Amino acid sequence: MGADWSDLPQELVIFIANRIAFMEDFAAFGAVCKPWRSVATKENFTGRLSHPFLMLPGEDGAAIREFYSFTKDKVQKVNLPEAEGKLLCYCSGWLITLEGLKFTLLHPFNRAQIKLPDFRDSDGRLSPTNMSHFHTVKKFVLSSNPSWTSDFAIMVLYDHEHLAFCKPREHKYWTSMVLEEHPLDITCYKGRFYAMCYNGVLVFDIENPKQAKTRVVVQGPLRRHVHASFGTKTYMVESAGDLLVVFSYGDIYRQAPRFRVSKVLRDGKRPSKSVVKDLGNRTLFLGDNNSSFSVMASDYSGCKPNCIYFFSCIYRQYIYPERGDWLVRSEENINMGIFHMEDGRFEQHFGSPSFALKEAKFPTFGTPCFWIQPSS
């Protein structure tokens, strides 16, 4: 007969839990039996995320989410009932969910939650009538990690063109901002929020919400790299202390996109040369619904240096539903792979052929997917 692991003394089980280094092992530990699952809490998890993961798309309303490790070519299932039908975006270790007018930050592994102010502003520009568009929430960014401090700000890019921010510890309301040009992407760089627009890169001053303003820090030259097609995507990402803008371009039916990387700021200043041909030992992770990030490739086994890992959805066709006045996707094509900066080579899949087969099983109408950043 096999061993009955549920009979182990709880003190011993806690001792084991405290010495588990990686999230995926901790998740497996909690799945052994009910007594072990009761010990698999955030208080007993002292480890760190070992390498980047891809949180796979799930069917709408699904509580079980899958995390793919491309370094191990393995899928880990995690139960996230708090995110059922509400998952939106990811940034700095946290997911953001929306139910009604309520935003909540959710940690995907220890399941901690942080309630944010209701999505309203003091001027009434944010209201329930706007919320029908929140299926198009593109991204949110944090000024600092809520795991380490409650003094953080959050900015949301929604409905493709609108921005709002708040400081949960200080503000009861959100503040909406209207830009002259539609923002293509947002990020946090050295503690401040930035946006990429067609007219350049903007930095936000939000110390006083009633007098929030923007300033152009990089003008003009980047605009010519933005091609007016549905296949063009723009990402902002910090890498080795520099702020990069990455353009993915090609038509919507092309399966092998090209990338152009520009360095727009170095230590807060415009560099003399903007085009980046070589990322060195860095690797970029780009996604539609997560804050993009970079890692030192040599720190993670199987991570390829001087490469861009990307995952995005290409919207081929739109339909109007019978009820409501917003557009929804009726068909989408998942575009994913690795782009090699050195020679422009493109790998279609991250792992072995076993994962390649899974692409065909991805839901075409469900929740988004995210790159999950390793613990710092």
Side-chain angles (χ1 to χ4, degrees):
M1 295 181 60
D4 188 354
W5 299 105
S6 63
D7 288 340
L8 287 180
Q10 187 180 42
E11 295 80 4
L12 179 58
V13 177
I14 294 175
F15 179 85
I16 297 171
N18 288 338
R19 279 151 181 77
I20 296 177
F22 303 128
M23 177 277 297
E24 59 268 31
D25 298 327
F26 194 74
F29 166 88
V32 170
C33 58
K34 188 174 182 179
W36 287 37
R37 185 161 57 250
S38 67
V39 170
T41 63
K42 62 180 180 180
E43 292 79 13
N44 291 323
F45 182 42
T46 60
R48 60 187 296 272
L49 190 60
S50 58
H51 52 268
F53 279 74
L54 182 65
M55 186 174 179
L56 301 179
E59 298 290 352
D60 283 336
I64 302 297
R65 298 305 302 269
E66 294 181 329
F67 293 79
Y68 174 70
S69 167
F70 62 87
T71 62
K72 296 184 177 181
D73 193 31
K74 184 174 70 173
V75 172
Q76 175 72 54
K77 293 186 178 182
V78 175
N79 186 28
L80 280 176
E82 300 87 350
E84 286 187 48
K86 298 180 292 186
L87 215 50
L88 291 178
C89 303
Y90 170 89
C91 176
S92 301
W94 292 81
L95 303 169
I96 191 170
T97 66
L98 174 68
E99 185 174 26
L101 293 177
K102 298 184 182 298
F103 274 127
T104 301
L105 294 178
L106 170 65
H107 196 286
F109 306 128
N110 62 33
R111 294 168 63 179
Q113 296 187 69
I114 300 174
K115 302 293 184 182
L116 302 177
D118 288 358
F119 198 73
R120 301 178 184 273
D121 67 3
S122 57
D123 298 328
R125 283 182 289 181
L126 302 177
S127 67
T129 57
N130 297 106
M131 301 306 287
S132 64
H133 295 281
F134 257 83
H135 69 289
T136 59
V137 168
K138 180 179 179 181
K139 190 164 292 188
F140 82 100
V141 289
L142 297 162
S143 63
S144 53
N145 193 327
S147 298
W148 311 119
T149 178
S150 61
D151 185 20
F152 66 91
I154 178 173
M155 178 172 282
V156 176
L157 170 59
Y158 68 98
D159 196 23
H160 299 297
E161 61 188 51
H162 297 122
L163 292 170
F165 70 89
C166 77
K167 296 180 179 179
R169 194 172 74 169
E170 303 175 15
H171 303 161
K172 295 181 180 179
Y173 299 100
W174 291 73
T175 300
S176 59
M177 297 195 71
V178 179
L179 305 182
E180 293 182 3
E181 300 244 10
H182 295 171
L184 303 172
D185 196 22
I186 56 175
T187 192
C188 183
Y189 173 65
K190 296 188 180 298
R192 303 187 70 181
F193 293 133
Y194 287 77
M196 176 65 200
C197 301
Y198 285 110
N199 63 342
V201 177
L202 310 178
V203 62
F204 295 85
D205 182 356
I206 62 170
E207 286 303 315
N208 184 349
K210 293 183 179 180
Q211 298 180 3
K213 53 189 177 182
T214 62
R215 176 172 57 88
V216 177
V217 292
V218 179
Q219 289 183 329
L222 292 175
R223 184 172 184 170
R224 66 175 180 268
H225 300 316
V226 183
H227 304 276
S229 73
F230 290 111
T232 300
K233 303 213 173 185
T234 306
Y235 307 92
M236 303 184 76
V237 56
E238 181 175 1
S239 181
D242 299 328
L243 180 60
L244 308 181
V245 172
V246 183
F247 299 109
S248 167
Y249 57 94
D251 63 55
I252 62 176
Y253 300 104
R254 184 171 180 171
Q255 294 300 303
R258 310 294 294 177
F259 291 86
R260 179 188 293 270
V261 181
S262 294
K263 183 185 301 181
V264 295
L265 291 175
R266 167 175 282 179
D267 295 326
K269 299 180 180 179
R270 181 87 182 264
S272 57
K273 295 183 179 180
S274 63
V275 177
V276 176
K277 299 292 187 180
D278 193 328
L279 297 171
N281 193 32
R282 307 293 298 189
T283 304
L284 306 184
F285 289 84
L286 311 179
D288 291 350
N289 297 104
N290 62 262
S291 183
S292 300
F293 60 89
S294 73
V295 300
M296 187 76 74
S298 57
D299 288 345
Y300 304 100
S301 174
C303 189
K304 300 180 179 182
N306 198 26
C307 287
I308 297 174
Y309 288 68
F310 65 95
F311 192 109
S312 65
C313 295
I314 301 174
Y315 303 101
R316 294 179 180 272
Q317 182 182 2
Y318 292 87
I319 60 172
Y320 285 96
E322 294 180 1
R323 300 177 63 181
D325 59 352
W326 58 91
L327 290 170
V328 298
R329 62 183 184 268
S330 61
E331 181 183 353
E332 68 183 12
N333 181 49
I334 293 173
N335 209 351
M336 65 180 185
I338 305 171
F339 178 79
H340 293 254
M341 290 286 290
E342 181 179 6
D343 54 10
R345 183 163 47 92
F346 170 77
E347 290 183 56
Q348 191 170 5
H349 301 294
F350 308 123
S352 69
S354 64
F355 179 70
L357 294 176
K358 190 170 181 60
E359 182 189 21
K361 300 179 182 179
F362 279 4
T364 58
F365 198 90
T367 51
C369 60
F370 320 100
W371 285 114
I372 304 294
Q373 190 170 358
S375 305
S376 56

